[in-house]
Amino acid sequence: MAEARLPEPTGPMVVLIEDEPQIRRFLRPTLISQGYRIVEAVSGEDGVTQAATRQPEIVILDLGLPDMDGLEVIRRLREWTAVPIIVLSARGQERDKIAALDAGADDYVAKPFAVGELLARMRVALRHAAQSAREPTDSTFAVGDIRVDLGRRRVFVSDAEVHLTRTEYKLLTTLIRHVGKVLTHRQLLQEVWGPPYADQTHYLRVYMGQLRHKLEVEPARPRFLLTEPGVGYRLVTE
Amino acid sequence: MAEARLPEPTGPMVVLIEDEPQIRRFLRPTLISQGYRIVEAVSGEDGVTQAATRQPEIVILDLGLPDMDGLEVIRRLREWTAVPIIVLSARGQERDKIAALDAGADDYVAKPFAVGELLARMRVALRHAAQSAREPTDSTFAVGDIRVDLGRRRVFVSDAEVHLTRTEYKLLTTLIRHVGKVLTHRQLLQEVWGPPYADQTHYLRVYMGQLRHKLEVEPARPRFLLTEPGVGYRLVTE
DNA sequence: CCACCGCGTCAAGAAACCGTCAAGAATCGG
DNA sequence: CCGATTCTTGACGGTTTCTTGACGCGGTGG
């Protein structure tokens, strides 16, 4: 396992989201010497975008970013990708670690950190990814005239952007995550609104109606957002 | 993700390989209160055996064992299992961490450790396991011209989709679950409609008729959905 | 032979479910 | 604080699905 890695130009790609130039200057040559391809982002927004466009094998994320809460970055990424996220943070408090790990981070390394340990933890992350044979996720979803850019949270119909509210978007991405499958009323309500709402099926009717209105050509006879009477809803491709 | 977990007797099983009674006494109630089932081992040899016999969801391993090098325990486990291994160690040296992680450990927590962090890292490990476990969920059932995609809840006859109502589908999947065997009226009614309906055999006649009408080529002389007079029904393959 | 029983079929009324609209309430941004 | 957006809730009508009863068939046993 611990074989020496020589520099190779097509190794795993890492997106490094880190605003401190000092750390970037330090990490960049180290990672490159280990054979990684590296893409740097200096803000959370940029980081999410880079992760969406480059589809890296690993994301290394500093929690202390200027523009955005680090936890928010994790959540944004986890909306559409399972890419391993290793958090770097100056805050070594237990509750920070717990919050980041529960938000979807895979590992947490407190600063100042030993670079050898970071590299070892990166190898662990790569091992996991290889094991589940997970390809880097495509950050866009498309069906018919509908296109969803999950990284940027934007939705287009026939190349015209349509605005979805937060709830509408969450409902749509939930359906996308399980595309093809029927999601029961319960599942949808729990995932989108939270467990306490598991019985408020009326919400579903209202919001499915709004989604159809915004996305379907003929909302009354939907082609993609289908009803399974008595069961739930499903998103179908073609 | 950070929902409160109540104690439940059938949660994930943890094998804790740890020779210090102090730490065992401390961890045991904590893990149990989180709903884990816990098996303790006080030596490396015992730990490997327990992991093999109990098939736990997680292994927590102290590196400083009396009988065996901790790295050796990791290697022994990795010979046959991919179960997540979280290492606990009093040695916080970088090279110890690297060695353990590269030997196959998934995480490394230095003592003294914060128990909340350990629990969070355990949740991460469980997440990984759950993720890689749920790839092959593409079960379909087929007999004659009839094809049932159980994952997507769809039914086809001669490659044309037919729509089943909720009750029809439930009846069909119940028959599929017991394919080949005779199901009595009682069994079917209880499984599909619920115990209070155990005597409403008329329902069965109506719905079996509808199923045959939708699935059989010659509903009056069914090839697959057969009646066992006086007993119940059965689904046969050829 | 005929009454009876289990089974299959059909259909109509009842009930449940779904989509739609719209009006307040709550929330957000300025 | 105000205006705009979004969420929440209720009402209503159309549709699907369930439930129930009636009836016919065929086998069985009196």
Side-chain angles (χ1 to χ4, degrees):
Chain A
M1 284 294 143
E3 82 260 33
R5 282 165 190 274
L6 295 177
E8 46 184 83
T10 57
M13 177 174 292
V14 180
V15 164
L16 172 63
I17 311 176
E18 167 67 79
D19 64 315
E20 295 180 48
Q22 210 174 343
I23 300 210
R24 286 207 311 275
R25 271 203 304 276
F26 166 58
L27 274 183
R28 178 202 265 276
T30 308
L31 294 180
I32 288 175
S33 78
Q34 297 293 312
Y36 293 101
R37 288 174 294 163
I38 180 169
V39 174
E40 299 180 357
V42 297
S43 71
E45 198 62 55
D46 189 22
V48 173
T49 305
Q50 292 295 348
T53 53
R54 305 303 189 98
Q55 308 199 14
E57 268 78 21
I58 302 185
V59 170
I60 299 178
L61 169 67
D62 186 339
L63 279 195
L65 297 169
D67 66 325
M68 207 169 155
D69 182 14
L71 291 182
E72 188 57 25
V73 178
I74 297 175
R75 287 192 207 99
R76 287 281 299 273
L77 289 171
R78 280 292 174 261
E79 284 176 8
W80 59 273
T81 179
V83 63
I85 301 175
I86 299 179
V87 165
L88 287 181
S89 173
R91 294 183 299 185
Q93 300 292 321
E94 183 183 11
R95 67 167 192 284
D96 295 321
K97 297 187 184 180
I98 295 173
L101 293 171
D102 280 336
D106 294 281
D107 209 339
Y108 192 108
V109 180
K111 294 191 206 172
F113 58 91
V115 72
E117 178 182 347
L118 175 64
L119 291 172
R121 290 185 182 273
M122 289 173 68
R123 289 194 288 275
V124 171
L126 287 177
R127 226 160 52 204
H128 283 155
Q131 190 174 327
S132 54
R134 180 178 314 290
E135 320 262 311
T137 328
D138 186 359
S139 66
T140 69
F141 172 90
V143 53
D145 284 346
I146 306 166
R147 191 158 48 82
V148 183
D149 185 331
L150 296 157
R152 295 184 185 70
R153 285 190 174 173
R154 300 174 84 178
V155 180
F156 304 84
V157 174
S158 310
D159 290 328
E161 180 162 11
V162 297
H163 172 76
L164 299 190
T165 72
R166 222 142 67 119
T167 307
E168 287 162 2
Y169 183 79
K170 202 165 181 187
L171 177 57
L172 177 60
T173 53
T174 302
L175 288 165
I176 288 176
R177 263 203 305 283
H178 304 277
V179 59
K181 294 202 177 131
V182 177
L183 286 169
T184 66
H185 302 129
R186 260 189 128 52
Q187 284 178 291
L188 280 171
L189 286 162
Q190 291 197 11
E191 285 206 44
V192 176
W193 281 268
Y197 293 77
D199 295 317
Q200 308 291 315
T201 54
H202 191 49
Y203 279 174
L204 279 180
R205 288 200 278 285
V206 173
Y207 277 88
M208 283 299 299
Q210 290 176 355
L211 268 187
R212 282 171 176 156
H213 195 75
K214 290 183 177 180
L215 303 182
E216 294 272 5
V217 177
E218 236 177 323
R221 277 191 291 117
R223 288 173 56 202
F224 308 113
L225 299 164
L226 304 188
T227 303
E228 293 289 328
V231 184
Y233 295 89
R234 87 175 350 137
L235 173 65
V236 297
T237 54
E238 91 201 68
Chain B
M1 286 298 134
E3 79 259 33
R5 283 165 190 275
L6 295 177
E8 46 184 82
T10 57
M13 177 173 293
V14 181
V15 165
L16 172 63
I17 312 177
E18 167 67 79
D19 64 314
E20 294 180 48
Q22 212 175 341
I23 300 210
R24 287 207 310 275
R25 271 203 304 275
F26 167 58
L27 273 183
R28 178 202 265 275
T30 309
L31 294 179
I32 288 175
S33 78
Q34 298 294 311
Y36 292 100
R37 287 174 295 162
I38 181 170
V39 174
E40 299 181 357
V42 297
S43 71
E45 199 62 55
D46 188 21
V48 173
T49 306
Q50 293 292 351
T53 54
R54 305 304 189 97
Q55 310 255 41
E57 268 80 20
I58 302 185
V59 170
I60 299 179
L61 170 66
D62 187 337
L63 279 194
L65 296 170
D67 66 324
M68 210 168 151
D69 181 15
L71 292 182
E72 188 55 28
V73 178
I74 296 174
R75 286 188 209 104
R76 291 272 300 272
L77 290 171
R78 279 292 173 261
E79 283 172 10
W80 57 273
T81 179
V83 62
I85 301 174
I86 299 179
V87 164
L88 287 181
S89 173
R91 293 182 299 184
Q93 301 293 321
E94 183 184 9
R95 68 167 191 284
D96 296 320
K97 297 187 184 181
I98 296 173
L101 294 171
D102 280 337
D106 294 280
D107 208 339
Y108 192 108
V109 181
K111 293 190 204 172
F113 58 92
V115 70
E117 178 183 346
L118 175 63
L119 291 172
R121 289 186 183 272
M122 288 172 70
R123 289 193 287 276
V124 171
L126 286 177
R127 228 159 51 204
H128 285 154
Q131 192 128 38
S132 53
R134 89 160 98 84
E135 298 297 331
T137 320
D138 223 29
S139 53
T140 69
F141 172 90
V143 52
D145 283 347
I146 307 166
R147 188 158 47 84
V148 184
D149 186 332
L150 296 161
R152 296 185 165 68
R153 197 197 178 279
R154 295 179 116 185
V155 181
F156 302 85
V157 174
S158 310
D159 290 328
E161 181 162 12
V162 296
H163 172 76
L164 299 190
T165 72
R166 183 167 55 151
T167 307
E168 287 161 3
Y169 185 80
K170 204 165 178 186
L171 176 57
L172 177 60
T173 52
T174 303
L175 288 165
I176 289 176
R177 265 205 309 284
H178 305 278
V179 60
K181 293 183 184 160
V182 181
L183 284 168
T184 66
H185 301 131
R186 272 194 109 62
Q187 282 178 294
L188 278 172
L189 286 161
Q190 290 197 13
E191 284 206 47
V192 177
W193 281 268
Y197 294 76
D199 296 318
Q200 309 291 315
T201 54
H202 190 48
Y203 279 177
L204 279 180
R205 287 199 279 283
V206 172
Y207 277 90
M208 284 300 300
Q210 289 178 356
L211 267 187
R212 282 170 177 157
H213 196 74
K214 289 183 177 179
L215 303 182
E216 294 273 5
V217 178
E218 238 177 322
R221 276 190 291 117
R223 289 173 55 201
F224 308 112
L225 299 164
L226 304 188
T227 304
E228 295 289 330
V231 185
Y233 295 89
R234 108 158 76 195
L235 173 66
V236 297
T237 59
E238 300 312 313

